[in-house]
Amino acid sequence: MDRLAGTVLVTGGAGFIGSNLVRHLISRGDVSVVTLDKLTYAGHRLNLGDILGSPRHVFVEGDIADRALVARLLQTHAVGAVINLAAETHVDRSIHGPAAFVQTNVVGTLNLLEQAYLYWQKLPPSDRALFRFVHVSTDEVYGSLGCGDPAFTEASPYAPNSPYAASKAGADHLVRAFHHTYGLPALTTNCSNNYGPRQYPEKLIPLMILNASNGEPLPIYGDGQNVRDWLYVEDHCQALLRILEAGTVGETYVVGGSDELTNCEVVGMICDMLDEMHPRSTGGSYREQIAFVPDRAGHDRRYAMNAQKLRGELGWTPATSFPEGLRRTIGWYLENPQWVREVQTPEYRQWIATQYGGRSSA
Ligand code: NAD
Ligand code: DAU
């Protein structure tokens, strides 16, 4: 039996990566999906749009830390795989309030693991053998690289620096322990920075696209020389499906695009593309809106991923170059003003005011 022929429980499926992943799964035609999402400020039903009505998709609003709910969903829908994306995900918010990160990322993941283990134990042997728990994590658990350091691999030691990264590291360790101690067929993925349609505009790329087109400043933290390794969200989703289908249980897979860029380079490219795709009504370049602001506390200097294991063992390669993916992403934000209006809630405006209001140019 195909591991992708049954029902997959996707947690966090109304968020950025989750909603792109659910679309992929539904488009396969042979998979049913149960999406479990708490609909925090970052989760939106409209991210799922037309697939909310698909006969192979059930959307459930709820918390991964809700024991009874998770147990019921696994049982009622005869789930064959769990892909855990539910999380608090914004580093800057974790600096303002770490507790929510521990609650969802650590306690919530522990609950999912416990319920998945209880459910898996009682499955008939053939279903037990096929069941998978894929935990989606981040490169930030490995800490920060210097400019000449080799990229992170699965063997890199954990050294999380932000409360967000620490909470994801805690979850990763629990996943490892549930495999090692109880035999739960779990796998962990550690991915670099994603970008693409439906990313919440608190994150660098959508924030810059929307601020630029609204004539607002483009706030670059510190000296703008921090490096991130960018991966188009659809390539991440392809990697997750490949790992679900063919990854080895108990293993970790590093995922990354090997597209290393400084923040200044990324923002410069956004400005140049917007100059061409959506010229400023006042003339001149969007680069004139760039404003250097005081740095993020504990700001990691560089992330880079060596995805050789995933490429070699599972044959995955990213299909989208950064310029191509960025152009597509900018186009999506320009073409979806209704989505932009709906996610820019009063809570969002409050966040922007808190985060950037007192941050005068450096
Ligand atoms: P996101 O913030 O866009 O979405 C997170 C989703 O989780 C939201 O829909 C939210 O409502 C939901 N959620 C939060 N708490 C929940 C809870 N307690 N129960 C149920 N649902 C809850 O995040 P994203 O960027 O799509 O990231 C998804 C996952 O991928 C996260 O685990 C993140 O750590 C990981 N990741 C993200 C990136 C990236 O660059 N975005 C890179 C590597 C790994
Ligand atoms: O590396 C994977 C991680 O990437 C994910 O695990 C996180 O969930 C995701 O949020 C992302 O974390 P980052 O902190 O790298 O992403 P963010 O978009 O917040 O910032 C990217 C870089 O841009 C970082 O160096 C900080 C900088 N930045 C960010 C914002 C929001 C700015 O200079 N100005 C800004 O306003």
PDB file of all heavy atoms in Angstrom, residues 121-151:
ATOM      1  N   GLN A 121      -0.037   2.203  18.596  1.00  0.00           N
ATOM      2  CA  GLN A 121       0.141   0.932  19.319  1.00  0.00           C
ATOM      3  C   GLN A 121      -0.986  -0.052  19.047  1.00  0.00           C
ATOM      4  O   GLN A 121      -0.780  -1.253  19.030  1.00  0.00           O
ATOM      5  CB  GLN A 121       0.052   1.247  20.805  1.00  0.00           C
ATOM      6  CG  GLN A 121       1.286   1.168  21.594  1.00  0.00           C
ATOM      7  CD  GLN A 121       0.884   1.319  23.065  1.00  0.00           C
ATOM      8  OE1 GLN A 121      -0.071   2.005  23.401  1.00  0.00           O
ATOM      9  NE2 GLN A 121       1.612   0.640  23.900  1.00  0.00           N
ATOM     10  N   LYS A 122      -2.191   0.506  18.868  1.00  0.00           N
ATOM     11  CA  LYS A 122      -3.377  -0.368  18.755  1.00  0.00           C
ATOM     12  C   LYS A 122      -3.743  -0.678  17.310  1.00  0.00           C
ATOM     13  O   LYS A 122      -4.716  -1.380  17.056  1.00  0.00           O
ATOM     14  CB  LYS A 122      -4.569   0.306  19.445  1.00  0.00           C
ATOM     15  CG  LYS A 122      -4.355   0.431  20.955  1.00  0.00           C
ATOM     16  CD  LYS A 122      -5.627   0.912  21.647  1.00  0.00           C
ATOM     17  CE  LYS A 122      -5.341   1.188  23.118  1.00  0.00           C
ATOM     18  NZ  LYS A 122      -5.563   2.564  23.514  1.00  0.00           N
ATOM     19  N   LEU A 123      -2.962  -0.162  16.365  1.00  0.00           N
ATOM     20  CA  LEU A 123      -3.284  -0.440  14.954  1.00  0.00           C
ATOM     21  C   LEU A 123      -2.960  -1.888  14.611  1.00  0.00           C
ATOM     22  O   LEU A 123      -2.051  -2.487  15.215  1.00  0.00           O
ATOM     23  CB  LEU A 123      -2.458   0.480  14.042  1.00  0.00           C
ATOM     24  CG  LEU A 123      -2.813   1.961  14.000  1.00  0.00           C
ATOM     25  CD1 LEU A 123      -1.779   2.723  13.152  1.00  0.00           C
ATOM     26  CD2 LEU A 123      -4.213   2.174  13.424  1.00  0.00           C
ATOM     27  N   PRO A 124      -3.656  -2.483  13.615  1.00  0.00           N
ATOM     28  CA  PRO A 124      -3.254  -3.802  13.125  1.00  0.00           C
ATOM     29  C   PRO A 124      -1.826  -3.728  12.576  1.00  0.00           C
ATOM     30  O   PRO A 124      -1.406  -2.665  12.102  1.00  0.00           O
ATOM     31  CB  PRO A 124      -4.250  -4.097  12.009  1.00  0.00           C
ATOM     32  CG  PRO A 124      -5.254  -3.009  12.024  1.00  0.00           C
ATOM     33  CD  PRO A 124      -4.791  -1.905  12.911  1.00  0.00           C
ATOM     34  N   PRO A 125      -1.053  -4.833  12.635  1.00  0.00           N
ATOM     35  CA  PRO A 125       0.360  -4.794  12.254  1.00  0.00           C
ATOM     36  C   PRO A 125       0.636  -4.155  10.891  1.00  0.00           C
ATOM     37  O   PRO A 125       1.595  -3.398  10.746  1.00  0.00           O
ATOM     38  CB  PRO A 125       0.782  -6.263  12.259  1.00  0.00           C
ATOM     39  CG  PRO A 125      -0.181  -6.911  13.203  1.00  0.00           C
ATOM     40  CD  PRO A 125      -1.470  -6.135  13.127  1.00  0.00           C
ATOM     41  N   SER A 126      -0.202  -4.406   9.889  1.00  0.00           N
ATOM     42  CA  SER A 126       0.099  -3.847   8.557  1.00  0.00           C
ATOM     43  C   SER A 126      -0.012  -2.321   8.588  1.00  0.00           C
ATOM     44  O   SER A 126       0.788  -1.612   7.966  1.00  0.00           O
ATOM     45  CB  SER A 126      -0.836  -4.440   7.502  1.00  0.00           C
ATOM     46  OG  SER A 126      -2.174  -4.188   7.882  1.00  0.00           O
ATOM     47  N   ASP A 127      -0.991  -1.782   9.317  1.00  0.00           N
ATOM     48  CA  ASP A 127      -1.153  -0.328   9.411  1.00  0.00           C
ATOM     49  C   ASP A 127      -0.054   0.279  10.290  1.00  0.00           C
ATOM     50  O   ASP A 127       0.418   1.384  10.023  1.00  0.00           O
ATOM     51  CB  ASP A 127      -2.523   0.031   9.997  1.00  0.00           C
ATOM     52  CG  ASP A 127      -3.658  -0.336   9.056  1.00  0.00           C
ATOM     53  OD1 ASP A 127      -3.368  -0.618   7.870  1.00  0.00           O
ATOM     54  OD2 ASP A 127      -4.821  -0.365   9.491  1.00  0.00           O
ATOM     55  N   ARG A 128       0.317  -0.475  11.321  1.00  0.00           N
ATOM     56  CA  ARG A 128       1.413   0.017  12.191  1.00  0.00           C
ATOM     57  C   ARG A 128       2.684   0.224  11.391  1.00  0.00           C
ATOM     58  O   ARG A 128       3.422   1.179  11.592  1.00  0.00           O
ATOM     59  CB  ARG A 128       1.719  -1.017  13.287  1.00  0.00           C
ATOM     60  CG  ARG A 128       0.931  -0.858  14.548  1.00  0.00           C
ATOM     61  CD  ARG A 128       1.157  -2.069  15.427  1.00  0.00           C
ATOM     62  NE  ARG A 128       2.535  -2.125  15.906  1.00  0.00           N
ATOM     63  CZ  ARG A 128       2.911  -1.848  17.137  1.00  0.00           C
ATOM     64  NH1 ARG A 128       1.997  -1.489  18.030  1.00  0.00           N
ATOM     65  NH2 ARG A 128       4.157  -1.946  17.507  1.00  0.00           N
ATOM     66  N   ALA A 129       2.935  -0.692  10.483  1.00  0.00           N
ATOM     67  CA  ALA A 129       4.172  -0.633   9.695  1.00  0.00           C
ATOM     68  C   ALA A 129       4.174   0.583   8.762  1.00  0.00           C
ATOM     69  O   ALA A 129       5.236   1.131   8.459  1.00  0.00           O
ATOM     70  CB  ALA A 129       4.329  -1.916   8.887  1.00  0.00           C
ATOM     71  N   LEU A 130       2.991   0.978   8.307  1.00  0.00           N
ATOM     72  CA  LEU A 130       2.930   2.101   7.348  1.00  0.00           C
ATOM     73  C   LEU A 130       2.863   3.469   8.020  1.00  0.00           C
ATOM     74  O   LEU A 130       3.224   4.477   7.422  1.00  0.00           O
ATOM     75  CB  LEU A 130       1.692   1.941   6.447  1.00  0.00           C
ATOM     76  CG  LEU A 130       1.820   0.922   5.326  1.00  0.00           C
ATOM     77  CD1 LEU A 130       0.474   0.734   4.636  1.00  0.00           C
ATOM     78  CD2 LEU A 130       2.871   1.377   4.303  1.00  0.00           C
ATOM     79  N   PHE A 131       2.389   3.501   9.272  1.00  0.00           N
ATOM     80  CA  PHE A 131       2.146   4.785   9.956  1.00  0.00           C
ATOM     81  C   PHE A 131       3.427   5.614  10.071  1.00  0.00           C
ATOM     82  O   PHE A 131       4.511   5.087  10.315  1.00  0.00           O
ATOM     83  CB  PHE A 131       1.569   4.522  11.357  1.00  0.00           C
ATOM     84  CG  PHE A 131       1.153   5.771  12.070  1.00  0.00           C
ATOM     85  CD1 PHE A 131      -0.101   6.338  11.852  1.00  0.00           C
ATOM     86  CD2 PHE A 131       2.022   6.406  12.969  1.00  0.00           C
ATOM     87  CE1 PHE A 131      -0.476   7.503  12.517  1.00  0.00           C
ATOM     88  CE2 PHE A 131       1.643   7.567  13.630  1.00  0.00           C
ATOM     89  CZ  PHE A 131       0.390   8.120  13.406  1.00  0.00           C
ATOM     90  N   ARG A 132       3.290   6.948   9.878  1.00  0.00           N
ATOM     91  CA  ARG A 132       4.441   7.851  10.040  1.00  0.00           C
ATOM     92  C   ARG A 132       4.021   9.120  10.784  1.00  0.00           C
ATOM     93  O   ARG A 132       2.902   9.608  10.618  1.00  0.00           O
ATOM     94  CB  ARG A 132       5.005   8.281   8.668  1.00  0.00           C
ATOM     95  CG  ARG A 132       5.643   7.156   7.871  1.00  0.00           C
ATOM     96  CD  ARG A 132       6.958   6.708   8.487  1.00  0.00           C
ATOM     97  NE  ARG A 132       7.598   5.650   7.729  1.00  0.00           N
ATOM     98  CZ  ARG A 132       7.389   4.347   7.906  1.00  0.00           C
ATOM     99  NH1 ARG A 132       6.530   3.913   8.811  1.00  0.00           N
ATOM    100  NH2 ARG A 132       8.034   3.455   7.169  1.00  0.00           N
ATOM    101  N   PHE A 133       4.957   9.640  11.577  1.00  0.00           N
ATOM    102  CA  PHE A 133       4.793  10.942  12.242  1.00  0.00           C
ATOM    103  C   PHE A 133       5.936  11.815  11.751  1.00  0.00           C
ATOM    104  O   PHE A 133       7.102  11.566  12.073  1.00  0.00           O
ATOM    105  CB  PHE A 133       4.866  10.752  13.763  1.00  0.00           C
ATOM    106  CG  PHE A 133       4.576  11.997  14.566  1.00  0.00           C
ATOM    107  CD1 PHE A 133       3.383  12.136  15.268  1.00  0.00           C
ATOM    108  CD2 PHE A 133       5.496  13.043  14.629  1.00  0.00           C
ATOM    109  CE1 PHE A 133       3.110  13.288  16.018  1.00  0.00           C
ATOM    110  CE2 PHE A 133       5.226  14.195  15.371  1.00  0.00           C
ATOM    111  CZ  PHE A 133       4.035  14.312  16.068  1.00  0.00           C
ATOM    112  N   VAL A 134       5.618  12.814  10.930  1.00  0.00           N
ATOM    113  CA  VAL A 134       6.665  13.701  10.402  1.00  0.00           C
ATOM    114  C   VAL A 134       6.594  15.033  11.140  1.00  0.00           C
ATOM    115  O   VAL A 134       5.566  15.724  11.106  1.00  0.00           O
ATOM    116  CB  VAL A 134       6.501  13.928   8.876  1.00  0.00           C
ATOM    117  CG1 VAL A 134       7.565  14.915   8.366  1.00  0.00           C
ATOM    118  CG2 VAL A 134       6.606  12.602   8.127  1.00  0.00           C
ATOM    119  N   HIS A 135       7.669  15.370  11.806  1.00  0.00           N
ATOM    120  CA  HIS A 135       7.735  16.610  12.584  1.00  0.00           C
ATOM    121  C   HIS A 135       8.540  17.644  11.807  1.00  0.00           C
ATOM    122  O   HIS A 135       9.697  17.396  11.450  1.00  0.00           O
ATOM    123  CB  HIS A 135       8.383  16.313  13.938  1.00  0.00           C
ATOM    124  CG  HIS A 135       8.655  17.541  14.734  1.00  0.00           C
ATOM    125  ND1 HIS A 135       7.658  18.359  15.208  1.00  0.00           N
ATOM    126  CD2 HIS A 135       9.827  18.102  15.144  1.00  0.00           C
ATOM    127  CE1 HIS A 135       8.192  19.361  15.869  1.00  0.00           C
ATOM    128  NE2 HIS A 135       9.507  19.235  15.838  1.00  0.00           N
ATOM    129  N   VAL A 136       7.916  18.800  11.554  1.00  0.00           N
ATOM    130  CA  VAL A 136       8.546  19.821  10.710  1.00  0.00           C
ATOM    131  C   VAL A 136       9.250  20.846  11.601  1.00  0.00           C
ATOM    132  O   VAL A 136       8.604  21.575  12.354  1.00  0.00           O
ATOM    133  CB  VAL A 136       7.486  20.503   9.818  1.00  0.00           C
ATOM    134  CG1 VAL A 136       8.134  21.564   8.932  1.00  0.00           C
ATOM    135  CG2 VAL A 136       6.767  19.453   8.970  1.00  0.00           C
ATOM    136  N   SER A 137      10.568  20.883  11.489  1.00  0.00           N
ATOM    137  CA  SER A 137      11.324  21.803  12.330  1.00  0.00           C
ATOM    138  C   SER A 137      12.195  22.730  11.474  1.00  0.00           C
ATOM    139  O   SER A 137      12.011  22.827  10.261  1.00  0.00           O
ATOM    140  CB  SER A 137      12.148  21.019  13.362  1.00  0.00           C
ATOM    141  OG  SER A 137      12.709  21.909  14.302  1.00  0.00           O
ATOM    142  N   THR A 138      13.126  23.378  12.135  1.00  0.00           N
ATOM    143  CA  THR A 138      13.820  24.517  11.521  1.00  0.00           C
ATOM    144  C   THR A 138      15.339  24.414  11.648  1.00  0.00           C
ATOM    145  O   THR A 138      15.852  23.753  12.551  1.00  0.00           O
ATOM    146  CB  THR A 138      13.328  25.803  12.218  1.00  0.00           C
ATOM    147  OG1 THR A 138      14.117  26.898  11.804  1.00  0.00           O
ATOM    148  CG2 THR A 138      13.443  25.716  13.735  1.00  0.00           C
ATOM    149  N   ASP A 139      16.023  25.137  10.769  1.00  0.00           N
ATOM    150  CA  ASP A 139      17.486  25.209  10.866  1.00  0.00           C
ATOM    151  C   ASP A 139      17.943  25.993  12.105  1.00  0.00           C
ATOM    152  O   ASP A 139      19.089  25.881  12.535  1.00  0.00           O
ATOM    153  CB  ASP A 139      18.099  25.850   9.603  1.00  0.00           C
ATOM    154  CG  ASP A 139      17.539  27.223   9.246  1.00  0.00           C
ATOM    155  OD1 ASP A 139      16.690  27.757   9.990  1.00  0.00           O
ATOM    156  OD2 ASP A 139      17.963  27.774   8.205  1.00  0.00           O
ATOM    157  N   GLU A 140      17.018  26.787  12.674  1.00  0.00           N
ATOM    158  CA  GLU A 140      17.423  27.671  13.785  1.00  0.00           C
ATOM    159  C   GLU A 140      17.832  26.890  15.033  1.00  0.00           C
ATOM    160  O   GLU A 140      18.482  27.455  15.919  1.00  0.00           O
ATOM    161  CB  GLU A 140      16.290  28.651  14.110  1.00  0.00           C
ATOM    162  CG  GLU A 140      15.885  29.453  12.899  1.00  0.00           C
ATOM    163  CD  GLU A 140      15.241  30.792  13.209  1.00  0.00           C
ATOM    164  OE1 GLU A 140      15.236  31.210  14.367  1.00  0.00           O
ATOM    165  OE2 GLU A 140      14.746  31.405  12.256  1.00  0.00           O
ATOM    166  N   VAL A 141      17.465  25.599  15.109  1.00  0.00           N
ATOM    167  CA  VAL A 141      17.866  24.799  16.282  1.00  0.00           C
ATOM    168  C   VAL A 141      19.386  24.642  16.341  1.00  0.00           C
ATOM    169  O   VAL A 141      19.942  24.358  17.395  1.00  0.00           O
ATOM    170  CB  VAL A 141      17.206  23.402  16.288  1.00  0.00           C
ATOM    171  CG1 VAL A 141      15.688  23.516  16.360  1.00  0.00           C
ATOM    172  CG2 VAL A 141      17.623  22.567  15.079  1.00  0.00           C
ATOM    173  N   TYR A 142      20.065  24.813  15.199  1.00  0.00           N
ATOM    174  CA  TYR A 142      21.517  24.608  15.155  1.00  0.00           C
ATOM    175  C   TYR A 142      22.305  25.871  15.506  1.00  0.00           C
ATOM    176  O   TYR A 142      23.541  25.843  15.515  1.00  0.00           O
ATOM    177  CB  TYR A 142      21.943  24.132  13.759  1.00  0.00           C
ATOM    178  CG  TYR A 142      21.307  22.832  13.311  1.00  0.00           C
ATOM    179  CD1 TYR A 142      20.565  22.773  12.129  1.00  0.00           C
ATOM    180  CD2 TYR A 142      21.455  21.668  14.057  1.00  0.00           C
ATOM    181  CE1 TYR A 142      19.989  21.586  11.699  1.00  0.00           C
ATOM    182  CE2 TYR A 142      20.868  20.476  13.637  1.00  0.00           C
ATOM    183  CZ  TYR A 142      20.138  20.450  12.460  1.00  0.00           C
ATOM    184  OH  TYR A 142      19.563  19.281  12.039  1.00  0.00           O
ATOM    185  N   GLY A 143      21.602  26.980  15.732  1.00  0.00           N
ATOM    186  CA  GLY A 143      22.303  28.215  16.113  1.00  0.00           C
ATOM    187  C   GLY A 143      22.789  28.990  14.910  1.00  0.00           C
ATOM    188  O   GLY A 143      22.181  28.950  13.843  1.00  0.00           O
ATOM    189  N   SER A 144      23.901  29.687  15.090  1.00  0.00           N
ATOM    190  CA  SER A 144      24.358  30.642  14.083  1.00  0.00           C
ATOM    191  C   SER A 144      25.727  30.245  13.532  1.00  0.00           C
ATOM    192  O   SER A 144      26.596  29.804  14.286  1.00  0.00           O
ATOM    193  CB  SER A 144      24.444  32.020  14.751  1.00  0.00           C
ATOM    194  OG  SER A 144      24.791  32.993  13.820  1.00  0.00           O
ATOM    195  N   LEU A 145      25.928  30.450  12.207  1.00  0.00           N
ATOM    196  CA  LEU A 145      27.216  30.151  11.563  1.00  0.00           C
ATOM    197  C   LEU A 145      28.026  31.429  11.364  1.00  0.00           C
ATOM    198  O   LEU A 145      27.444  32.503  11.155  1.00  0.00           O
ATOM    199  CB  LEU A 145      26.980  29.528  10.188  1.00  0.00           C
ATOM    200  CG  LEU A 145      26.341  28.145  10.132  1.00  0.00           C
ATOM    201  CD1 LEU A 145      25.895  27.829   8.703  1.00  0.00           C
ATOM    202  CD2 LEU A 145      27.317  27.080  10.631  1.00  0.00           C
ATOM    203  N   GLY A 146      29.357  31.297  11.366  1.00  0.00           N
ATOM    204  CA  GLY A 146      30.221  32.386  10.927  1.00  0.00           C
ATOM    205  C   GLY A 146      30.285  32.384   9.413  1.00  0.00           C
ATOM    206  O   GLY A 146      29.877  31.396   8.769  1.00  0.00           O
ATOM    207  N   CYS A 147      30.828  33.448   8.807  1.00  0.00           N
ATOM    208  CA  CYS A 147      30.729  33.547   7.338  1.00  0.00           C
ATOM    209  C   CYS A 147      31.511  32.450   6.603  1.00  0.00           C
ATOM    210  O   CYS A 147      31.102  32.034   5.534  1.00  0.00           O
ATOM    211  CB  CYS A 147      31.085  34.945   6.853  1.00  0.00           C
ATOM    212  SG  CYS A 147      32.769  35.392   7.182  1.00  0.00           S
ATOM    213  N   GLY A 148      32.587  31.903   7.214  1.00  0.00           N
ATOM    214  CA  GLY A 148      33.332  30.870   6.499  1.00  0.00           C
ATOM    215  C   GLY A 148      32.988  29.443   6.921  1.00  0.00           C
ATOM    216  O   GLY A 148      33.589  28.479   6.428  1.00  0.00           O
ATOM    217  N   ASP A 149      32.040  29.282   7.842  1.00  0.00           N
ATOM    218  CA  ASP A 149      31.731  27.940   8.375  1.00  0.00           C
ATOM    219  C   ASP A 149      31.024  27.076   7.335  1.00  0.00           C
ATOM    220  O   ASP A 149      30.235  27.595   6.530  1.00  0.00           O
ATOM    221  CB  ASP A 149      30.812  28.046   9.599  1.00  0.00           C
ATOM    222  CG  ASP A 149      31.508  28.681  10.790  1.00  0.00           C
ATOM    223  OD1 ASP A 149      32.754  28.688  10.809  1.00  0.00           O
ATOM    224  OD2 ASP A 149      30.806  29.181  11.687  1.00  0.00           O
ATOM    225  N   PRO A 150      31.248  25.744   7.391  1.00  0.00           N
ATOM    226  CA  PRO A 150      30.462  24.870   6.505  1.00  0.00           C
ATOM    227  C   PRO A 150      28.986  24.879   6.920  1.00  0.00           C
ATOM    228  O   PRO A 150      28.665  25.146   8.082  1.00  0.00           O
ATOM    229  CB  PRO A 150      31.085  23.480   6.714  1.00  0.00           C
ATOM    230  CG  PRO A 150      31.870  23.564   7.966  1.00  0.00           C
ATOM    231  CD  PRO A 150      32.210  25.001   8.213  1.00  0.00           C
ATOM    232  N   ALA A 151      28.123  24.594   5.956  1.00  0.00           N
ATOM    233  CA  ALA A 151      26.672  24.599   6.211  1.00  0.00           C
ATOM    234  C   ALA A 151      26.293  23.531   7.236  1.00  0.00           C
ATOM    235  O   ALA A 151      27.021  22.548   7.421  1.00  0.00           O
ATOM    236  CB  ALA A 151      25.942  24.358   4.891  1.00  0.00           C
TER     237      ALA A 151
END
